[in-house]
Amino acid sequence: MQTDYVQRFLFENLDIRGRLVCLTGAWQRMLDGRGYPEDIVSLLGHTTALNTLLGANQKGAGRVTLQVQGSGPVKLLVADCSAELRIRGMAHYEGEDLKDEFARDSERGLIGDGRLSVTLEDMKSGKFYQSLVPLEGETLEQIFRHYLSQSEQLPAYLRLFADGGALAGLLLEKLPGADTRDPDGWDRVTHFANTLTLGETRDAQPYDLLTKVFPEELMRVFRLHAVEYHCPYDEAKVKDMLKGLGRQEVESILAEQGAVVIRNEMCNHEYRFDAAAIARLFATH
């Protein structure tokens, strides 16, 4: 069964294009070792699904970072996708507050007030382009739909799903000539899109799934793009950072804490250096 993909497609007679994402292994690797509660898994999964759909539309050396910052128990959801569709992400939340019944009553209760930021980074030039919008909607899917309506030039339709085993998303975009080609086309395909479920997406090949959901429409389906989780353990980079701090500063931390511990929350890695490791690090400096 093909998973960990983005499938791009076009309704030939309607001037409507779409992207479908389904992640299993890559998503499970992102969650591995984090112990996130079910609510957090769902929210981060929705964020990662949209981020991957947006990343699949970037050309060249672009990177898309999606961040939801909230005032509720969920302080931060962040997902990152490179032009090669390498993903990573994390959630920051206050565990005790998740037990509050009011907060758990809705996704918006978990997130609270805040803002959504989408950052496009050109890796060649180093330039950043950022969109910031307030959180509008009661669910994360509604919040993301509002963002798309505000920032994209095209009317968009979005469905998102996630659990601990898989995530999926469907994004449709209405091109400028769509109503001229078929005045009922947009309503028709969005009606059928509402029938999509996570189970269907996880258990069917993408082409078979699309022809099942949209049986009457002529579609052009492009080649699959593979998605992978990529957040490697990079001790050399951490050592360079410590050298940049200088021996005196690092030894001061070592004396105070007994070890120098660097935590990479995005990748869920911990780098620990004892006295012997620090001595070796600065032996040539």
Side-chain angles (χ1 to χ4, degrees):
M1 187 62 61
Q2 178 72 48
T3 58
D4 295 323
Y5 67 79
V6 174
Q7 174 73 75
R8 299 174 65 219
F9 59 96
L10 175 73
F11 294 101
E12 291 275 22
N13 297 329
L14 301 180
D15 277 357
I16 296 170
R17 67 186 182 191
R19 298 190 289 280
L20 175 73
V21 62
C22 181
L23 306 183
T24 55
W27 172 231
Q28 291 161 22
R29 283 189 286 278
M30 185 188 291
L31 295 177
D32 188 39
R34 294 186 185 267
Y36 288 152
E38 185 178 319
D39 292 329
I40 301 300
V41 168
S42 177
L43 291 172
L44 182 60
H46 288 181
T47 305
T48 303
L50 176 59
N51 184 242
T52 308
L53 289 167
L54 295 176
N57 205 40
Q58 299 303 304
K59 296 178 177 65
R63 177 185 293 279
V64 182
T65 303
L66 192 65
Q67 291 191 53
V68 179
Q69 295 171 296
S71 62
V74 180
K75 302 301 180 187
L76 177 67
L77 302 164
V78 56
D80 186 273
C81 183
S82 70
E84 300 81 22
L85 297 185
R86 292 176 162 183
I87 62 166
R88 57 184 183 169
M90 58 159 284
H92 176 60
Y93 63 96
E94 295 180 352
E96 286 302 310
D97 290 343
L98 287 179
K99 298 173 184 176
D100 182 274
E101 288 300 319
F102 174 76
R104 290 173 60 91
D105 195 44
S106 70
E107 290 185 0
R108 189 55 191 270
L110 288 170
I111 299 167
D113 294 324
R115 66 182 187 180
L116 167 66
S117 69
V118 180
T119 304
L120 307 180
E121 180 183 2
D122 186 319
M123 305 301 285
K124 289 181 178 177
S125 68
K127 291 182 179 179
F128 289 83
Y129 308 88
Q130 189 173 66
S131 301
L132 290 172
V133 295
L135 303 181
E136 299 274 353
E138 289 306 307
T139 67
L140 205 49
E141 187 174 274
Q142 290 173 2
I143 289 168
F144 289 154
R145 284 180 180 175
H146 177 258
Y147 159 74
L148 292 171
S149 72
Q150 294 291 305
S151 65
E152 301 294 309
Q153 303 301 312
L154 304 171
Y157 169 94
L158 181 68
R159 293 288 306 283
L160 300 170
F161 312 91
D163 62 18
L167 63 78
L170 174 66
L171 176 63
L172 302 176
E173 294 177 319
K174 183 180 180 183
L175 301 173
D179 287 338
T180 304
R181 295 286 298 274
D182 186 334
D184 300 318
W186 181 250
D187 288 341
R188 190 167 65 250
V189 297
T190 55
H191 170 76
F192 284 115
N194 282 328
T195 68
L196 185 67
T197 68
L198 175 61
E200 281 184 300
T201 312
R202 179 169 26 200
D203 298 330
Q205 297 287 62
Y207 177 79
D208 295 340
L209 176 70
L210 290 171
T211 53
K212 177 184 175 183
V213 175
F214 307 106
E216 304 297 323
E217 307 301 336
L218 178 64
M219 273 185 291
R220 187 193 313 174
V221 177
F222 302 94
R223 70 178 179 87
L224 282 176
H225 293 278
V227 182
E228 66 172 333
Y229 175 67
H230 185 74
C231 221
Y233 191 85
D234 192 347
E235 189 173 78
K237 189 174 182 179
V238 176
K239 286 181 175 178
D240 287 343
M241 183 270 290
L242 292 176
K243 288 176 183 177
L245 285 176
R247 183 168 195 157
Q248 185 175 354
E249 178 68 20
V250 173
E251 289 184 344
S252 172
I253 297 170
L254 179 65
E256 180 181 331
Q257 301 181 8
V260 178
V261 180
I262 306 297
R263 180 87 191 148
N264 181 336
E265 295 290 348
M266 189 70 159
C267 294
N268 200 30
H269 296 321
E270 184 174 279
Y271 303 87
R272 181 176 292 271
F273 301 88
D274 59 14
I278 295 301
R280 287 194 298 273
L281 180 65
F282 288 101
T284 57
H285 285 66

